[in-house]
Amino acid sequence: MTKDGPSDPAPMTYARYLALDTLLGSQHPQSDLDDEMLFIIIHQTKELWLKQMIRELRLAMEQVAADALVPAYKALARVSRIQAVMTLSWDVLATMTPSDYTRFRHVLGPSSGFQSDQFRTVEYMLGLKDGKFLRFQNDRPEAQAAMERALAAPGLWDLAIAAAARAGLPIPDHVLARNFSQAYVADPAVEAAFLEVYRDTQRYWDLYQLAEKLVDLDDAMATWRHKHVLTVERVIGGKPGTGGTAGASYLHSTLGKRAFPELWSLRTSL
């Protein structure tokens, strides 16, 4: 205390601002092996980046819904850069050899990255809807609720299609009023509408640039998935993954996923 009242608060420090004691105390290996610490830090870092991706996607989606397409470019570009950083992190994990991983793999039990609620939320926000992943969060109601909200809401592609309709492009009512909790199915009319955007870029410049930012996201996601498969095959080969997943064979089945399918198919017609 001072004669004028309580002491001034301590000045902010780097460690307090970043909550470093909490952050650096959040790694709890179940073995004494150095490679397990790497495994934990790689995955925790990915979850932090996913948290930022969700924030940026939420902002971009709000802007697209309000027809503020140009301001949305910044958040979308940031997401694609984050995706690139996450992809590069697989190279760090690949320094762990199969023998290294085998020594501690048993401590993971049934846990698996397949269960990441934030990754599924990102997929839902992009428009890749699949409600079967909700069950993995039965013990985490807040995470499950966030997934449910993203599942039920329009995805980024739904919002972009609606923006195209407001710009005067012919989008069928059944596309605009679809059940957003279901997987999106590519529609020839949507492809035709965006083909017009690509054929008359001067008239539809904002939509054209938005479309290319969306292709960047899809491209980065496909690259991330491909590098994930290679890393898994390098470390465990064709063995099943933890948590009862099929491992590399399941990951191979995801390589063809596209959140914005018409933006890929229209290129053949240009």
PDB file of all heavy atoms in Angstrom, residues 54-76:
ATOM      1  N   ILE A  54     -10.499 -20.759 -37.058  1.00  0.00           N
ATOM      2  CA  ILE A  54     -11.933 -20.637 -36.791  1.00  0.00           C
ATOM      3  C   ILE A  54     -12.306 -19.167 -36.617  1.00  0.00           C
ATOM      4  O   ILE A  54     -13.325 -18.706 -37.133  1.00  0.00           O
ATOM      5  CB  ILE A  54     -12.314 -21.469 -35.549  1.00  0.00           C
ATOM      6  CG1 ILE A  54     -12.213 -22.970 -35.874  1.00  0.00           C
ATOM      7  CG2 ILE A  54     -13.717 -21.126 -35.064  1.00  0.00           C
ATOM      8  CD1 ILE A  54     -12.309 -23.871 -34.667  1.00  0.00           C
ATOM      9  N   ARG A  55     -11.472 -18.438 -35.903  1.00  0.00           N
ATOM     10  CA  ARG A  55     -11.727 -17.001 -35.697  1.00  0.00           C
ATOM     11  C   ARG A  55     -11.732 -16.251 -37.029  1.00  0.00           C
ATOM     12  O   ARG A  55     -12.619 -15.425 -37.293  1.00  0.00           O
ATOM     13  CB  ARG A  55     -10.656 -16.443 -34.759  1.00  0.00           C
ATOM     14  CG  ARG A  55     -10.850 -14.982 -34.376  1.00  0.00           C
ATOM     15  CD  ARG A  55      -9.707 -14.525 -33.487  1.00  0.00           C
ATOM     16  NE  ARG A  55      -9.871 -13.141 -33.075  1.00  0.00           N
ATOM     17  CZ  ARG A  55     -10.501 -12.754 -31.969  1.00  0.00           C
ATOM     18  NH1 ARG A  55     -11.030 -13.663 -31.167  1.00  0.00           N
ATOM     19  NH2 ARG A  55     -10.611 -11.478 -31.661  1.00  0.00           N
ATOM     20  N   GLU A  56     -10.735 -16.527 -37.868  1.00  0.00           N
ATOM     21  CA  GLU A  56     -10.636 -15.843 -39.160  1.00  0.00           C
ATOM     22  C   GLU A  56     -11.778 -16.242 -40.089  1.00  0.00           C
ATOM     23  O   GLU A  56     -12.337 -15.395 -40.807  1.00  0.00           O
ATOM     24  CB  GLU A  56      -9.289 -16.138 -39.817  1.00  0.00           C
ATOM     25  CG  GLU A  56      -8.068 -15.721 -39.021  1.00  0.00           C
ATOM     26  CD  GLU A  56      -7.952 -14.210 -38.828  1.00  0.00           C
ATOM     27  OE1 GLU A  56      -8.590 -13.451 -39.593  1.00  0.00           O
ATOM     28  OE2 GLU A  56      -7.227 -13.792 -37.903  1.00  0.00           O
ATOM     29  N   LEU A  57     -12.126 -17.519 -40.098  1.00  0.00           N
ATOM     30  CA  LEU A  57     -13.227 -17.968 -40.941  1.00  0.00           C
ATOM     31  C   LEU A  57     -14.544 -17.344 -40.503  1.00  0.00           C
ATOM     32  O   LEU A  57     -15.375 -16.958 -41.345  1.00  0.00           O
ATOM     33  CB  LEU A  57     -13.335 -19.500 -40.909  1.00  0.00           C
ATOM     34  CG  LEU A  57     -12.284 -20.265 -41.704  1.00  0.00           C
ATOM     35  CD1 LEU A  57     -12.378 -21.759 -41.410  1.00  0.00           C
ATOM     36  CD2 LEU A  57     -12.439 -20.007 -43.207  1.00  0.00           C
ATOM     37  N   ARG A  58     -14.742 -17.237 -39.195  1.00  0.00           N
ATOM     38  CA  ARG A  58     -15.973 -16.622 -38.700  1.00  0.00           C
ATOM     39  C   ARG A  58     -16.079 -15.174 -39.190  1.00  0.00           C
ATOM     40  O   ARG A  58     -17.146 -14.726 -39.641  1.00  0.00           O
ATOM     41  CB  ARG A  58     -16.010 -16.688 -37.170  1.00  0.00           C
ATOM     42  CG  ARG A  58     -17.322 -16.185 -36.576  1.00  0.00           C
ATOM     43  CD  ARG A  58     -17.330 -16.338 -35.068  1.00  0.00           C
ATOM     44  NE  ARG A  58     -17.285 -17.742 -34.669  1.00  0.00           N
ATOM     45  CZ  ARG A  58     -16.322 -18.292 -33.959  1.00  0.00           C
ATOM     46  NH1 ARG A  58     -15.299 -17.565 -33.548  1.00  0.00           N
ATOM     47  NH2 ARG A  58     -16.369 -19.569 -33.633  1.00  0.00           N
ATOM     48  N   LEU A  59     -14.972 -14.452 -39.118  1.00  0.00           N
ATOM     49  CA  LEU A  59     -14.967 -13.070 -39.586  1.00  0.00           C
ATOM     50  C   LEU A  59     -15.250 -13.005 -41.083  1.00  0.00           C
ATOM     51  O   LEU A  59     -16.084 -12.209 -41.539  1.00  0.00           O
ATOM     52  CB  LEU A  59     -13.612 -12.423 -39.282  1.00  0.00           C
ATOM     53  CG  LEU A  59     -13.376 -11.029 -39.870  1.00  0.00           C
ATOM     54  CD1 LEU A  59     -14.419 -10.039 -39.362  1.00  0.00           C
ATOM     55  CD2 LEU A  59     -11.963 -10.555 -39.559  1.00  0.00           C
ATOM     56  N   ALA A  60     -14.560 -13.828 -41.860  1.00  0.00           N
ATOM     57  CA  ALA A  60     -14.742 -13.814 -43.309  1.00  0.00           C
ATOM     58  C   ALA A  60     -16.179 -14.171 -43.688  1.00  0.00           C
ATOM     59  O   ALA A  60     -16.762 -13.564 -44.599  1.00  0.00           O
ATOM     60  CB  ALA A  60     -13.770 -14.787 -43.968  1.00  0.00           C
ATOM     61  N   MET A  61     -16.768 -15.129 -42.976  1.00  0.00           N
ATOM     62  CA  MET A  61     -18.134 -15.532 -43.276  1.00  0.00           C
ATOM     63  C   MET A  61     -19.122 -14.415 -42.983  1.00  0.00           C
ATOM     64  O   MET A  61     -20.076 -14.189 -43.738  1.00  0.00           O
ATOM     65  CB  MET A  61     -18.468 -16.811 -42.512  1.00  0.00           C
ATOM     66  CG  MET A  61     -17.679 -18.026 -43.004  1.00  0.00           C
ATOM     67  SD  MET A  61     -17.774 -19.472 -41.928  1.00  0.00           S
ATOM     68  CE  MET A  61     -19.439 -20.052 -42.295  1.00  0.00           C
ATOM     69  N   GLU A  62     -18.904 -13.695 -41.896  1.00  0.00           N
ATOM     70  CA  GLU A  62     -19.759 -12.545 -41.582  1.00  0.00           C
ATOM     71  C   GLU A  62     -19.653 -11.486 -42.674  1.00  0.00           C
ATOM     72  O   GLU A  62     -20.661 -10.875 -43.071  1.00  0.00           O
ATOM     73  CB  GLU A  62     -19.366 -11.958 -40.224  1.00  0.00           C
ATOM     74  CG  GLU A  62     -19.700 -12.852 -39.038  1.00  0.00           C
ATOM     75  CD  GLU A  62     -19.112 -12.330 -37.730  1.00  0.00           C
ATOM     76  OE1 GLU A  62     -18.362 -11.326 -37.781  1.00  0.00           O
ATOM     77  OE2 GLU A  62     -19.400 -12.920 -36.671  1.00  0.00           O
ATOM     78  N   GLN A  63     -18.449 -11.268 -43.168  1.00  0.00           N
ATOM     79  CA  GLN A  63     -18.243 -10.257 -44.199  1.00  0.00           C
ATOM     80  C   GLN A  63     -18.871 -10.672 -45.524  1.00  0.00           C
ATOM     81  O   GLN A  63     -19.506  -9.852 -46.205  1.00  0.00           O
ATOM     82  CB  GLN A  63     -16.742  -9.980 -44.354  1.00  0.00           C
ATOM     83  CG  GLN A  63     -16.148  -9.287 -43.139  1.00  0.00           C
ATOM     84  CD  GLN A  63     -14.633  -9.233 -43.158  1.00  0.00           C
ATOM     85  OE1 GLN A  63     -13.974 -10.135 -43.675  1.00  0.00           O
ATOM     86  NE2 GLN A  63     -14.066  -8.183 -42.580  1.00  0.00           N
ATOM     87  N   VAL A  64     -18.714 -11.937 -45.901  1.00  0.00           N
ATOM     88  CA  VAL A  64     -19.328 -12.416 -47.144  1.00  0.00           C
ATOM     89  C   VAL A  64     -20.852 -12.324 -47.059  1.00  0.00           C
ATOM     90  O   VAL A  64     -21.519 -11.909 -48.009  1.00  0.00           O
ATOM     91  CB  VAL A  64     -18.883 -13.857 -47.455  1.00  0.00           C
ATOM     92  CG1 VAL A  64     -19.675 -14.439 -48.635  1.00  0.00           C
ATOM     93  CG2 VAL A  64     -17.386 -13.905 -47.764  1.00  0.00           C
ATOM     94  N   ALA A  65     -21.404 -12.682 -45.903  1.00  0.00           N
ATOM     95  CA  ALA A  65     -22.856 -12.607 -45.710  1.00  0.00           C
ATOM     96  C   ALA A  65     -23.358 -11.175 -45.818  1.00  0.00           C
ATOM     97  O   ALA A  65     -24.522 -10.946 -46.189  1.00  0.00           O
ATOM     98  CB  ALA A  65     -23.239 -13.191 -44.356  1.00  0.00           C
ATOM     99  N   ALA A  66     -22.504 -10.198 -45.523  1.00  0.00           N
ATOM    100  CA  ALA A  66     -22.873  -8.782 -45.589  1.00  0.00           C
ATOM    101  C   ALA A  66     -22.447  -8.154 -46.919  1.00  0.00           C
ATOM    102  O   ALA A  66     -22.513  -6.923 -47.067  1.00  0.00           O
ATOM    103  CB  ALA A  66     -22.241  -8.027 -44.429  1.00  0.00           C
ATOM    104  N   ASP A  67     -22.013  -8.985 -47.881  1.00  0.00           N
ATOM    105  CA  ASP A  67     -21.545  -8.516 -49.191  1.00  0.00           C
ATOM    106  C   ASP A  67     -20.308  -7.635 -49.096  1.00  0.00           C
ATOM    107  O   ASP A  67     -20.019  -6.846 -50.002  1.00  0.00           O
ATOM    108  CB  ASP A  67     -22.659  -7.777 -49.945  1.00  0.00           C
ATOM    109  CG  ASP A  67     -23.765  -8.724 -50.403  1.00  0.00           C
ATOM    110  OD1 ASP A  67     -23.435  -9.859 -50.796  1.00  0.00           O
ATOM    111  OD2 ASP A  67     -24.943  -8.339 -50.346  1.00  0.00           O
ATOM    112  N   ALA A  68     -19.562  -7.756 -48.021  1.00  0.00           N
ATOM    113  CA  ALA A  68     -18.278  -7.062 -47.885  1.00  0.00           C
ATOM    114  C   ALA A  68     -17.191  -8.023 -48.360  1.00  0.00           C
ATOM    115  O   ALA A  68     -16.378  -8.521 -47.566  1.00  0.00           O
ATOM    116  CB  ALA A  68     -18.051  -6.627 -46.447  1.00  0.00           C
ATOM    117  N   LEU A  69     -17.192  -8.307 -49.663  1.00  0.00           N
ATOM    118  CA  LEU A  69     -16.316  -9.350 -50.193  1.00  0.00           C
ATOM    119  C   LEU A  69     -14.845  -8.956 -50.132  1.00  0.00           C
ATOM    120  O   LEU A  69     -13.992  -9.777 -49.778  1.00  0.00           O
ATOM    121  CB  LEU A  69     -16.718  -9.691 -51.630  1.00  0.00           C
ATOM    122  CG  LEU A  69     -18.181 -10.100 -51.850  1.00  0.00           C
ATOM    123  CD1 LEU A  69     -18.372 -10.605 -53.275  1.00  0.00           C
ATOM    124  CD2 LEU A  69     -18.623 -11.152 -50.838  1.00  0.00           C
ATOM    125  N   VAL A  70     -14.541  -7.707 -50.477  1.00  0.00           N
ATOM    126  CA  VAL A  70     -13.131  -7.289 -50.480  1.00  0.00           C
ATOM    127  C   VAL A  70     -12.518  -7.359 -49.084  1.00  0.00           C
ATOM    128  O   VAL A  70     -11.418  -7.903 -48.918  1.00  0.00           O
ATOM    129  CB  VAL A  70     -12.992  -5.881 -51.088  1.00  0.00           C
ATOM    130  CG1 VAL A  70     -11.553  -5.371 -50.956  1.00  0.00           C
ATOM    131  CG2 VAL A  70     -13.399  -5.902 -52.561  1.00  0.00           C
ATOM    132  N   PRO A  71     -13.182  -6.868 -48.035  1.00  0.00           N
ATOM    133  CA  PRO A  71     -12.615  -7.016 -46.690  1.00  0.00           C
ATOM    134  C   PRO A  71     -12.414  -8.478 -46.280  1.00  0.00           C
ATOM    135  O   PRO A  71     -11.527  -8.769 -45.473  1.00  0.00           O
ATOM    136  CB  PRO A  71     -13.655  -6.328 -45.792  1.00  0.00           C
ATOM    137  CG  PRO A  71     -14.302  -5.320 -46.672  1.00  0.00           C
ATOM    138  CD  PRO A  71     -14.380  -5.990 -48.016  1.00  0.00           C
ATOM    139  N   ALA A  72     -13.229  -9.385 -46.823  1.00  0.00           N
ATOM    140  CA  ALA A  72     -13.104 -10.804 -46.459  1.00  0.00           C
ATOM    141  C   ALA A  72     -11.818 -11.423 -46.983  1.00  0.00           C
ATOM    142  O   ALA A  72     -11.366 -12.448 -46.458  1.00  0.00           O
ATOM    143  CB  ALA A  72     -14.305 -11.590 -46.979  1.00  0.00           C
ATOM    144  N   TYR A  73     -11.223 -10.816 -48.005  1.00  0.00           N
ATOM    145  CA  TYR A  73     -10.022 -11.403 -48.597  1.00  0.00           C
ATOM    146  C   TYR A  73      -8.896 -11.545 -47.577  1.00  0.00           C
ATOM    147  O   TYR A  73      -8.129 -12.505 -47.604  1.00  0.00           O
ATOM    148  CB  TYR A  73      -9.504 -10.562 -49.772  1.00  0.00           C
ATOM    149  CG  TYR A  73     -10.459 -10.352 -50.915  1.00  0.00           C
ATOM    150  CD1 TYR A  73     -10.254  -9.321 -51.826  1.00  0.00           C
ATOM    151  CD2 TYR A  73     -11.574 -11.167 -51.093  1.00  0.00           C
ATOM    152  CE1 TYR A  73     -11.116  -9.104 -52.884  1.00  0.00           C
ATOM    153  CE2 TYR A  73     -12.454 -10.956 -52.147  1.00  0.00           C
ATOM    154  CZ  TYR A  73     -12.225  -9.916 -53.044  1.00  0.00           C
ATOM    155  OH  TYR A  73     -13.074  -9.695 -54.088  1.00  0.00           O
ATOM    156  N   LYS A  74      -8.777 -10.564 -46.687  1.00  0.00           N
ATOM    157  CA  LYS A  74      -7.666 -10.574 -45.723  1.00  0.00           C
ATOM    158  C   LYS A  74      -7.737 -11.800 -44.821  1.00  0.00           C
ATOM    159  O   LYS A  74      -6.740 -12.516 -44.645  1.00  0.00           O
ATOM    160  CB  LYS A  74      -7.689  -9.303 -44.876  1.00  0.00           C
ATOM    161  CG  LYS A  74      -6.624  -9.283 -43.783  1.00  0.00           C
ATOM    162  CD  LYS A  74      -6.716  -8.034 -42.928  1.00  0.00           C
ATOM    163  CE  LYS A  74      -5.698  -8.060 -41.793  1.00  0.00           C
ATOM    164  NZ  LYS A  74      -5.787  -6.858 -40.931  1.00  0.00           N
ATOM    165  N   ALA A  75      -8.911 -12.051 -44.230  1.00  0.00           N
ATOM    166  CA  ALA A  75      -9.045 -13.194 -43.323  1.00  0.00           C
ATOM    167  C   ALA A  75      -8.842 -14.507 -44.069  1.00  0.00           C
ATOM    168  O   ALA A  75      -8.204 -15.433 -43.561  1.00  0.00           O
ATOM    169  CB  ALA A  75     -10.415 -13.168 -42.644  1.00  0.00           C
ATOM    170  N   LEU A  76      -9.370 -14.581 -45.297  1.00  0.00           N
ATOM    171  CA  LEU A  76      -9.225 -15.815 -46.071  1.00  0.00           C
ATOM    172  C   LEU A  76      -7.765 -16.054 -46.450  1.00  0.00           C
ATOM    173  O   LEU A  76      -7.288 -17.201 -46.411  1.00  0.00           O
ATOM    174  CB  LEU A  76     -10.104 -15.750 -47.322  1.00  0.00           C
ATOM    175  CG  LEU A  76     -11.615 -15.717 -47.052  1.00  0.00           C
ATOM    176  CD1 LEU A  76     -12.385 -15.518 -48.355  1.00  0.00           C
ATOM    177  CD2 LEU A  76     -12.080 -16.988 -46.343  1.00  0.00           C
TER     178      LEU A  76
END
